[in-house]
Structure formats: C-alpha cells, structure tokens
C-alpha cells in the first residue's frame, strides 16, 4: 500500500496518507531522511556507529537497557528467568547488543501523514499543523562467514521520529494539507523528490520527539502452552531539544497513559485524576483530550497474547475504581454510556491500550520487506487493522482541511470497524469482517454506537477476563458447514496477576467448532494453543485444488488459502537458534485464513506472504497472503536470530 486512497481517482490528487514502498523509502534515506540524519550522526550506517556518533541515540539505548534490566530482575524475583540465547522452553529477553551491532541498522519503514494530530497539539497551546512521522525498524543484513551466505531479517523494535509541521500565514493548515495532495504515480524517484520538496521539506518540519515501541521479552508457546505464547513490549517517548553538543533527547510522559503504581500509592493523586475524568467527560467521549502530566507514566509495558483482555493494557481500569465515576450524566455523550465504557475509552487512549487493541503484535505500522528478507519470513501487509480503519477517517480529515472546511474531529476506538467518512454527513460503520473485533452483550449496550458483524457471522466472546470491564468478541461462523481454516475454535478465561502480568494465567474453557479428531481434507480439526496458535485454529489439509488456488478463479476470494504450515521439522529446529535453517524446512503446505491489504487477520495473527516459488503465488493470488500466528514469523520475535556481533565474510 503506497498511496492509500491516492490511487482511487485516476488523474486526480487525493490525500497521501502514508508511504510504505521500499524503493521510495530507500531513496528518501539517501536524500537526508535516514535515522542517522535525524539524530545528527552523519553517515552512521549501523547501530554500532549510531552508538558511537550520536549522544541522542545513546540516550535511547541507555534507557531501554535500564528498563530491560529492571523488568528482567523483577521477573527473576517472581520465578521467571530470561535468556538472550537459549535452546530450551524458557523466557527470552532482547539481546541489547543489537543496539550497538555492526550488522544492524534502523531502516526507514514508513512515512505517515498525521495532520489530524493538530487537534492534540492545540490542547497544549502548540501552533502547528499536526505531525509527520518517520518510522524506523531495526533490521540486519550481512554475509555470514560460517554459513557462506547472506542472512537478513527485521526485528520487532521500532523508533518513531515525530516531526511537528509548521502552520502557514495566519495559522492556517490549508497549505500543509495541500502539500500531501500528490498526483498518483509509480516512479519512486519522482515520489521521493516530491516528498522531500513538499511535505517533508526541512523548512516545514521540526523534530518534536522520538518514540520507542519494542518487544523486549517473549515466552514461547512450548512454555505458555495454554496462552500459545506471551510477549512484553516497551513503550517510551523522548522529547527533542538542543544542547551544546547538538540534539538532545529527554524522557517525557506518555500521552494519556497513567502511572498506575504511583496512583495506587497516592490517594490524593488518584482523586485528582478522578476529578479530571469527571470534569472532562465530553472531550474524552470524543477522543480528543489530554490528561495532565502529573498523572502520567514515563514508560509503559504492554502484554500479549489476548492483549485486549489483559488488565495490564487497561491502566485506567486498574487505577480508578469504577464506583468513583458514578453519578455522571451520560445523556449527551456520543460513545460512552456508562462508567465501564468511560474507563474503556480512557484505556484505549493509553499507549498500551491502543497498541494491544486493533493492533498486530503490539504494532500498528511495521512496514513491508525488501528483497533481502527470506521468502519464508516475509509479511504481506505492513499495517494493523486499526491503521487501515483509521485511513478512512484521516483521508476525510486531510481532504477537509485542504478544501478549507471544518474536519470531523471525533475519533472511534482502535478496535472499531472501518467507517464511511463523507463530508457534511454522519459517518457510518462498515460491518466487521470475519475474525475482527466486535462488542458483545452488555458490553455493546455500554456504547452509544457500535457495528455489526458481516452477514453470516456472529459476535462471539473468546476470552473471559473478570478484571477487565468491557468484553470484546470476534466475528465468527458457528455453522460447522461454513467453517474455514484459520478461524478460532477455543474459548478460555484469564486469571489476572495484578501488577505482575507476566504471571497471568489462561485456562481453556470450551471448544465451539472444528471437532474432527484427525486430519483430513474435508473436516476441520481444532489445532491446540500449545503449538503456538492462540485460541486454537480450525484446520483442514490442502486438497490438490487448494494447492493450485483453484478457488480464487472468476474473482472469488475464499476465506481460506493453501499457505504454509510449520510442520515438525520447523518446530524441532526453532529451538536451535538457527532460524535460517528452520525457514528452509518450513515447506509443509496447509490451509490458513486468507488476508490482504484490506482484509486482516485476527488478534495475535498476521498476514504472511506466500513465497514467490509457490506456483500461482505471483499470479493467481498475488494480492493475498495467509494468516499466520505472529511469532511464526522470525521478524516479529526477538529470539532465534544470529549473533548481533556476527563476523562477516
């Protein structure tokens, strides 16, 4: 996806919302938009060089290292030991040597237009036109001296360089919006020049902050046999400034993310937060608000799997008793209809809440792969369901500002279905696609607006979590005759370890489909979570017709596609920390859910690309991928990669 809605009108410019084309991004890096340029590190081409040349990068690395050490010590004290390199079913922790590695660098993964962020800037009294975000992802590529071949992958660690956009004459943002109205085209060189001289022009933008989102701990499915694996993600924000040595970075509070531990220990502080919430109901309901800094945390750690049902990702629910919000008048609110919905709205606006609801593996933008990535470690879609749904709203917003009209400033929650946004008309939600989030029962009644599951599916709760007030379900088919590979088949319940989310437990409570006891090409078997498939996965073997993608003929798009399955050789190999060998053995074909740039995988799964050497992959199903458990892709896990200090050929 390069131009989002920009390609919908031939010959007419539409708002450019993001750039993910790899060739265009590499051209931008050479034109002065590499992370080394942002951090004033000259031509630093590796994290080792960044650590040597950039005090700002050293600030980031130092805080990440300290945060990892603190969490590691806490987990150890509670019986969970972590290892950088291991071949056992034990916890894994990020190898911090990746942040000073000669073979790794942060690649520009995306450019994102966030003109709509002007609404939040205005709350701080900032005069400007929103933000531009340059997103960089940790990656490596080198010629291995021992294996005599090139190894390359990315890791789940991103840096988001956030730039403020200057306003025009009289504080107008119209020209800033119009700068993104770029004519459709496919030439990366031309687009890179248009961006560099237009919306990314150095005189238009100034560095505001750098944000970190990084997987730092992972527990494999062989250890977490009921959860199907777990992971923890660190989130931090560093404010940009200027010092004698140039650029400086300093930790700053996370937007709308409360410091739970401090609030729990300080009754007066907690009452102050309650008073703020009670006094700002309309703004919170609309999604544009700013919790005062005195209540906020300077770091957050979010947890998956089943991230939307984990108390750790609901900081307001954990810090504020629901009874403290009684007596509020919800008669005039648009979205929230009771106290629990209000807390969910606040939770969803926090860093951990947003990045574990409607996200993919704790991220909303992870970008596309270049040609160096193994075909068996490549993703098909580089964005989350929330990022996709947000695109419709953001396109309407930018178009309105460019036309000089008032944009719609309301923001749906991150787990909401996409909506139709049209000028001067109320937006309407589209039906939620199969396996997408939905609101069930009493939870649906707690909100003033909702969305229905697409025809033929129903909203089913999969995970019970008594610690979380609002329950999300998934749109599924309960008719076994209409089952498909990739659909969940298990329900369960989470027991929450308050304050120690890595000790949360999950227990399977039932099965609602895929009842075959063996494998076949016609009946569905429910694959268990212990093989790494959270909530189970309906599965049937590929038929000869499936292998040739026959079901995709005449414009039809089946719910399942004959993609790749790990197989025993892959499972055995994973523990050796030689991911390249494991990938070469992942040759088993198996049916999985179908996905694409506009059709997404369920929570804890992501859209993987079918290797080009599979017959029909580049023709019949060139626009489609298959839904794979997130950590089946090595680029979405911190373990199993080569030595960060590996020798080159």
């Amino acid at each position: 996806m390069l131009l989002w809605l920009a390609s919908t009108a031939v010959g007419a410019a539409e708002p450019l919302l993001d750039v993910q084309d790899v060739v265009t991004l590499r051209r931008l890096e050479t034109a002065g938009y590499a992370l080394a340029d942002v951090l004033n590190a000259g031509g630093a081409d590796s994290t080792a060089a960044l650590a040597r040349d950039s005090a700002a990068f050293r600030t980031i690395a130092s805080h990440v290292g300290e945060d990892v050490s603190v969490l590691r010590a806490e987990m150890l004290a509670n019986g969970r030991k972590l290892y950088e390199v291991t071949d056992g079913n034990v916890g894994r922790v990020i190898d911090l040597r990746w942040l000073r590695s000669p073979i790794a660098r942060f690649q520009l993964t995306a450019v994102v237009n966030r003109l709509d962020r002007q609404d939040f800037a205005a709350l701080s009294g900032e005069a400007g036109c929103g933000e531009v975000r340059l997103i960089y992802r940790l990656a490596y590529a080198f010629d291995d001296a021992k294996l005599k071949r090139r190894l390359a992958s990315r890791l789940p660690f991103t840096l988001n360089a956030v730039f403020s956009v200057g306003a025009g004459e009289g504080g107008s943002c119209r020209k800033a919006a119009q700068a993104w109205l770029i004519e459709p085209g496919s030439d990366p060189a031309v687009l890179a020049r248009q961006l560099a001289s237009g919306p990314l022009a150095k005189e238009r933008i100034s560095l505001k902050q750098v944000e970190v989102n990084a997987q730092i701990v992972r527990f494999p499915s062989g250890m977490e046999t009921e959860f199907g694996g777990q992971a923890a993600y660190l989130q931090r924000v560093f404010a940009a400034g200027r010092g004698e040595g140039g650029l400086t970075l300093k930790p700053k509070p996370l937007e709308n993310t409360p410091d739970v531990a401090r609030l729990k220990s300080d009754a007066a502080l907690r009452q102050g937060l309650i008073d703020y919430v009670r006094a700002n109901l309309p703004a919170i309901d609309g999604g544009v608000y700013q919790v005062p800094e005195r209540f906020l945390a300077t770091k957050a750690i979010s947890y998956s799997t089943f991230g939307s049902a984990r108390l750790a990702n609901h900081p307001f629910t954990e810090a504020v008793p629901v009874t403290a919000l009684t007596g509020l008048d919800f008669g005039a609110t648009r979205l929230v209809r009771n106290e629990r919905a209000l807390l969910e709205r606040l939770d969803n606006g926090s860093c951990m809440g947003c990045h574990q609801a409607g996200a993919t593996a704790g991220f909303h933008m992870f970008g596309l792969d270049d040609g160096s990535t193994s075909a068996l470690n490549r993703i098909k879609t580089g964005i989350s369901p929330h990022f996709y749904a947000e695109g419709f709203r953001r396109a309407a917003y930018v178009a309105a500002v460019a036309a000089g009209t008032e944009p719609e400033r309301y923001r749906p929650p991150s787990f909401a279905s996409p909506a139709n946004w049209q000028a001067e008309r109320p937006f309407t939600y589209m039906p939620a696609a199969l396996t997408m989030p939905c609101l069930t029962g009493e939870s649906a009644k707690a909100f003033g607006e909702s969305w229905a599951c697409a025809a033929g599916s129903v909203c089913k709760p999969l995970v019970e979590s008594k610690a979380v007030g609002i329950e999300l379900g998934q749109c599924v088919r309960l008719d076994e005759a209409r089952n498909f590979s990739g659909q969940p088949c298990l329900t369960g319940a989470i027991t929450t370890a308050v304050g120690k989310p890595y000790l949360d437990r999950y227990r399977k409570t039932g099965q609602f489909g895929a009842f075959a006891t063996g494998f076949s090409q016609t009946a569905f078997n429910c694959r268990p979570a212990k093989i790494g498939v959270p909530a189970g996965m309906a599965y049937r073997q590929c038929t000869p017709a499936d292998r040739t993608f026959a079901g995709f003929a005449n414009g039809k798009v089946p719910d399942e596609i004959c993609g790749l399955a790990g197989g025993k050789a892959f499972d055995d190999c994973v523990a050796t920390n030689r991911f390249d060998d494991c990938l070469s053995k992942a040759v088993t074909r198996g049916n999985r859910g179908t996905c694409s740039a506009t059709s997404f995988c369920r929570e804890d799964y992501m859209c993987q690309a079918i290797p080009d050497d599979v017959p029909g992959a580049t023709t019949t199903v060139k626009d489609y991928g298959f839904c794979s458990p997130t950590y089946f892709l090595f680029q979405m896990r911190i373990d199993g990669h080569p030595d960060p200090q590996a020798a080159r050929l």
Side-chain angles (χ1 to χ4, degrees), residues 117 120 124 209 235-237 251-264 269-270 272-273 276-277 289-300 315-316 319 346 349-352:
R117 287 284 304 174
F120 288 88
S124 301
Q209 61 195 39
Q235 294 160 327
R236 265 196 180 272
V237 179
K252 65 177 290 188
L254 305 179
E255 184 177 88
N256 293 337
T257 302
D259 187 326
V260 174
R262 198 157 50 90
L263 287 162
K264 281 185 170 183
L269 187 69
R270 180 167 62 178
L273 177 60
Y276 166 82
V277 171
Y289 58 94
Q290 187 175 73
V291 175
E293 286 192 1
R294 67 183 183 277
F295 304 119
L296 303 180
T298 54
K299 72 174 179 180
F316 284 91
L346 288 161
S350 69
C351 288
M352 59 277 267

Side-chain angles (χ1 to χ4, degrees), residues 274-287:
I274 292 168
D275 293 342
Y276 166 82
V277 171
R278 296 184 67 92
N280 289 272
L281 176 59
I284 296 168
D285 182 61

Side-chain angles (χ1 to χ4, degrees), residues 1-2 4 17-21 25 107-114 133-138 154-160 211 213-214 354-355 358-369 379 381-388 391 394 600 606 635-636:
M1 182 184 67
L2 173 61
W4 194 266
L17 298 184
D18 63 84
V19 179
Q20 294 181 59
D21 176 69
L25 296 170
Q107 293 179 334
L108 182 60
T109 293
V111 176
V112 183
N113 167 11
R114 291 306 307 269
R133 298 180 175 185
L134 303 184
I135 300 177
Y136 300 87
R137 186 166 168 198
L138 185 60
R154 302 187 293 170
L155 290 94
F157 193 123
T158 64
L159 296 180
N160 177 13
E211 302 173 351
N213 187 15
C354 182
H355 281 273
T360 300
F363 297 91
H364 289 300
M365 168 60 77
F366 32 91
L368 301 172
D369 297 294
I379 60 175
T381 302
I383 61 173
S384 71
H386 170 56
F387 190 94
Y388 173 72
R394 291 194 294 118
F600 294 85
M606 69 187 308
Q635 63 168 283
M636 298 308 293

Side-chain angles (χ1 to χ4, degrees), residues 28-272:
L28 282 172
E29 285 185 297
T30 62
Y33 296 91
L35 183 62
D37 299 308
V38 174
L39 299 182
N40 294 342
D45 61 354
S46 68
T47 58
L50 278 175
R52 180 194 65 215
D53 298 340
S54 172
F57 183 78
R58 290 195 295 273
T59 296
I60 295 173
S62 174
H63 280 281
V64 170
E66 183 178 327
D67 294 339
V68 169
S69 295
V70 169
L71 183 61
R72 189 175 193 175
E74 180 188 335
M75 287 190 176
L76 179 61
N78 286 281
R80 299 217 117 175
K81 191 172 183 179
L82 303 174
Y83 300 83
E84 282 90 351
V85 179
T86 176
D87 59 1
N89 265 322
V90 293
R92 291 95 192 271
V93 66
I94 186 173
D95 190 333
L96 291 169
R97 294 180 301 159
W98 283 115
L99 299 183
R100 46 182 175 83
S101 166
I103 64 172
R105 76 182 190 96
F106 280 92
Q107 293 179 334
L108 182 60
T109 293
V111 176
V112 183
N113 167 11
R114 291 306 307 269
L115 179 77
D116 63 303
R117 287 284 304 174
Q118 65 177 336
D119 295 346
F120 288 88
L123 297 176
S124 301
E126 298 177 22
C129 299
E131 300 168 354
V132 170
R133 298 180 175 185
L134 303 184
I135 300 177
Y136 300 87
R137 186 166 168 198
L138 185 60
Y140 62 85
F142 72 108
D143 296 317
D144 187 274
K146 185 178 295 185
L147 298 176
K148 306 295 184 186
R149 67 174 183 270
R150 192 162 185 78
L151 297 181
S153 182
R154 302 187 293 170
L155 290 94
F157 193 123
T158 64
L159 296 180
N160 177 13
V162 180
F163 292 81
S164 297
V165 180
E169 185 176 347
S172 172
C173 290
R174 189 171 184 180
K175 287 187 177 180
Q178 290 173 342
W180 291 99
L181 301 179
I182 296 176
E183 294 289 344
S186 58
D187 187 329
V190 172
L191 179 57
R193 286 197 299 270
Q194 289 177 313
L195 289 166
S197 62
L200 299 186
K202 299 298 176 68
E203 63 271 18
R204 287 178 179 265
I205 62 177
S206 58
L207 184 63
K208 176 182 179 181
Q209 61 195 39
V210 177
E211 302 173 351
V212 175
N213 187 15
Q215 183 187 122
I216 57 173
V217 172
R218 194 179 83 85
F219 297 111
S221 59
M223 180 183 186
E224 295 283 357
T225 57
E226 295 299 311
F227 261 121
Q230 284 202 73
Y233 297 83
L234 171 68
Q235 294 160 327
R236 265 196 180 272
V237 179
F238 298 87
R242 304 299 300 181
E244 291 183 3
L247 174 69
T248 62
L249 292 178
K250 180 181 179 181
K252 65 177 290 188
L254 305 179
E255 184 177 88
N256 293 337
T257 302
D259 187 326
V260 174
R262 198 157 50 90
L263 287 162
K264 281 185 170 183
S265 65
D266 188 332
L269 187 69
R270 180 167 62 178
Q271 186 58 52

Side-chain angles (χ1 to χ4, degrees), residues 385-444:
H386 170 56
F387 190 94
Y388 173 72
E390 272 280 88
F392 295 94
R393 182 190 67 80
R394 291 194 294 118
Y397 191 107
V398 177
V401 176
T405 60
E406 180 69 12
E408 167 63 76
R409 301 183 188 277
Y410 174 77
R411 285 161 165 76
S414 69
F415 49 80
S417 174
N420 293 302
W421 297 77
Q422 297 180 350
E424 300 179 357
R425 295 183 184 179
F427 78 86
T428 56
Y429 287 110
M430 304 176 194
L434 283 170
T435 72
M436 290 295 100
C438 52
L439 290 163
T440 65
E442 292 302 312
S443 294

